[in-house]
Amino acid sequence: MSAPPALAAQVYTWEPSNAAIARRYGLDPAGILRFDTNTSPTAPPFLAEGLAGPFEPPLNEYPDSAYEELVLAAADYFGVPPDEIVVGAGADEVLDLAAKAFLPPGGTAIVPLPTYAMYGVLTTQRPARILAVPRLGPEAGFALDVAAIRARLPEAQLVWLCSPNNPTGAAEPRAALQAVLEAAAALPDPPLVVLDEAYHEFTGETLLDLRGRHPELLVLRTMSKAFALPAIRVGFGIAARRTIERLERVRPPGSVATVSAHLATLGLRQPELARENARRIAAAREDFAAGLAEAGWTPRPSVTNFVLVQVGDQAAAEAAAERLLRSGIVPRTFGPANPLRGHLRLTVRSPEENARLLAAIRG
């Protein structure tokens, strides 16, 4: 028997590979530029040394499933006890653990739209119902509609929040996030509130300090953005111990490779590299946004490593994306049913790479 429409699994289309794009447009794969994946234009300098020093753990054995060194490095960086951290193969696995542990089949999750698509995918995989709560309009920067979310909290077992939000690039005011959290905590059976802080290093803002009095709060962090290590797939969930215990019950052993855990530990032990990378990207973002505006597009304010730009209507955005693709430049697009139709999302890359995109726009 097929699932009812409200529970039918969402289909997520993964980004096409460089090779696939090159074949489609008759281009050299080496010349493809990814402006769609929100990655850093440069890797951490310690990667130039191979694995950056002696690497002792044998690769013919499974990883330490407790990831002790990695967890200790993360605890130092986050400023939390080690037993309030769960490690995942990227933040996406931690999101998956949250859905498995807190969202029962047939349950309900609040998804403020537009936001990161995986929240909806993971919800319907349970299968559970997406309770879509539209964000405020473009004139309000697509901010959370706090009143609307609070009104629907009694129906939900899980709330997906993201700040700074992907794909809009804006951070939510602390007061707005705290209002949702406090309203959830006041319910007889509070839902889990997942706060995805993947872009934390670009703002320095966090709700980690509230986890002690709000055990229903789960904060996510990643090595993929400011730390510039998306290929190693390492992410973290941080919460009160009783919340972490529930996540640990559904966590697979050894999903993070030994090499990945080692490289993530090196990155966390040198946080100044991530902070400097975030500062460098932020400076490039302002120049990039100014160039996009000069080219006739409308960049929206961003505090992340990407810029959301309004090109025009849906047809104009599709035509612009096709022109960029023919030049070997890959933007993030949005379908006609998405609130961001007519927009493109563009990663901030190196000044030279950004200049190539701007030249392609000008034609």
Side-chain angles (χ1 to χ4, degrees):
M1 179 181 296
S2 62
L7 300 181
Q10 286 195 338
V11 176
Y12 186 82
T13 303
W14 301 105
E15 297 88 354
S17 68
N18 287 359
I21 293 169
R23 283 194 301 270
R24 178 180 175 184
Y25 292 98
L27 302 170
D28 179 358
I32 302 297
L33 279 181
R34 306 298 310 214
F35 277 83
D36 61 330
T37 52
N38 297 351
T39 53
S40 175
T42 56
F46 59 75
L47 291 182
E49 305 170 18
L51 288 177
F55 186 63
E56 297 179 358
L59 298 183
N60 61 312
E61 302 291 348
Y62 286 109
D64 166 22
S65 61
Y67 311 113
E68 184 173 350
E69 289 190 15
L70 174 58
V71 169
L72 289 174
D76 286 344
Y77 176 65
F78 301 139
V80 304
D83 66 355
E84 295 185 359
I85 296 173
V86 66
V87 177
D92 283 344
E93 185 177 46
V94 182
L95 293 170
D96 186 50
L97 298 180
K100 289 177 177 175
F102 288 88
L103 188 56
T108 299
I110 291 175
V111 183
L113 295 177
T115 194
Y116 183 38
M118 282 304 295
Y119 305 147
V121 172
L122 293 170
T123 298
T124 56
Q125 283 178 354
R126 290 303 297 144
R129 179 173 70 104
I130 295 173
L131 203 171
V133 178
R135 290 171 171 270
L136 300 177
E139 68 285 348
F142 297 103
L144 288 175
D145 187 337
V146 174
I149 293 173
R150 292 178 65 174
R152 308 305 295 269
L153 285 173
E155 304 173 55
Q157 288 77 47
L158 193 150
V159 182
W160 300 109
L161 301 179
C162 184
S163 183
N165 185 48
N166 174 18
T168 62
E172 303 294 344
R174 180 183 174 93
L177 296 169
Q178 194 164 352
V180 173
L181 190 58
E182 290 175 351
L187 296 172
D189 189 13
L192 179 72
V193 178
V194 177
L195 176 57
D196 188 342
E197 293 184 347
Y199 300 91
H200 158 76
E201 284 76 16
F202 291 91
T203 67
E205 299 173 4
T206 182
L207 257 60
L208 268 183
D209 56 299
L210 299 181
R211 74 193 186 285
R213 71 173 188 267
H214 287 293
E216 67 279 0
L217 172 66
L218 172 65
V219 174
L220 268 70
R221 298 286 183 83
T222 183
M223 301 300 295
S224 296
K225 304 306 177 185
F227 282 93
L229 289 169
I232 69 172
R233 309 307 301 131
V234 176
F236 307 92
I238 309 119
R241 179 60 196 162
R242 79 185 201 194
T243 301
I244 296 298
E245 285 176 346
R246 288 184 62 173
L247 298 174
E248 288 176 339
R249 293 174 199 158
V250 296
R251 179 178 72 85
S255 63
V256 176
T258 300
V259 175
S260 293
H262 174 70
L263 293 175
T265 301
L266 289 177
L268 289 166
R269 294 296 188 199
Q270 303 174 73
E272 68 281 358
L273 296 178
R275 296 184 184 113
E276 177 54 33
N277 188 39
R279 286 192 291 268
R280 185 168 54 248
I281 290 173
R285 181 187 66 224
E286 299 312 305
D287 292 339
F288 187 37
L292 290 166
E294 289 174 5
W297 290 359
T298 304
R300 299 197 177 277
S302 172
V303 295
T304 62
N305 66 342
F306 60 86
V307 179
L308 181 70
V309 292
Q310 184 167 12
V311 178
D313 60 13
Q314 180 66 20
E318 290 177 353
E322 182 67 14
R323 288 198 306 274
L324 292 175
L325 285 164
R326 291 186 181 280
S327 299
I329 294 168
V330 189
R332 172 70 164 89
T333 59
F334 303 96
N338 193 295
L340 298 179
R341 57 189 173 275
H343 291 74
L344 298 177
R345 192 194 68 194
L346 302 171
T347 304
V348 180
R349 300 196 61 85
S350 70
E352 296 76 18
E353 292 167 333
N354 295 340
R356 179 177 153 188
L357 182 143
L358 294 171
I361 294 174
R362 297 185 184 107

